[in-house]
Each structure stands twice: as structure tokens, then as C-alpha cells.
Amino acid sequence: MKVDTNTMVSISEANRNFSKITRLVDKYGSAVILKNNSPRYLVLDFNQAGNMAAATDSDVFVMSEKLISQNAAAYEELAK
């Protein structure tokens, strides 16, 4: 998932001004709330929630095989 930096808000800002979060979701479709400078919460438009699908086991397997082949040298170094 790509995250627009314009949609990132600290948790303290979200507590003070939740309407800002709702405006971001209305404008961009989602907002990310940061806790300790790390993405922690994702706020979505309710209508978009149904469009999100979990990856199937076969999708995960294909992606992991791709990552392993792309980073084979790093994995071999880590295995030492």
C-alpha cells in the first residue's frame, strides 16, 4: 500500500483534531495515524473497507519466492 505523506498525522494531533483526520479521509481516501513516528493506525472511508482483500496463500507464496530470488545474496550472507 502506498501512503501519501500528506495523510500522515501524529496521534497527538489526531486526539486534538479528529475532524482533520476525517477531512484527510474525504480528500485522499485514507489517513495514517503515527505513534512514536511509526505508522500505527489506518483510517479508511467505510465504503472502501469492503474493497480491501486479504492476500491468498498462493499470492503470498508467489511474492515470497520473488523476494527470495531478488535478495538471494543477502539471504546467503545472513545465513552465515
Side-chain angles (χ1 to χ4, degrees), residues 63-75:
M63 184 55 72
S64 63
E65 287 291 322
K66 183 177 178 181
L67 289 171
I68 289 170
S69 66
Q70 287 176 346
N71 300 298
Y75 289 127

Side-chain angles (χ1 to χ4, degrees), residues 30-61:
S30 66
V32 176
I33 299 174
L34 305 171
K35 185 173 184 180
N36 297 326
N37 292 325
S38 294
R40 181 64 182 245
Y41 304 101
L42 176 63
V43 181
L44 295 173
D45 182 288
F46 187 79
N47 294 325
Q48 285 185 318
N51 297 335
M52 301 203 60
T56 63
D57 288 344
S58 61
D59 290 339
V60 173
F61 181 74

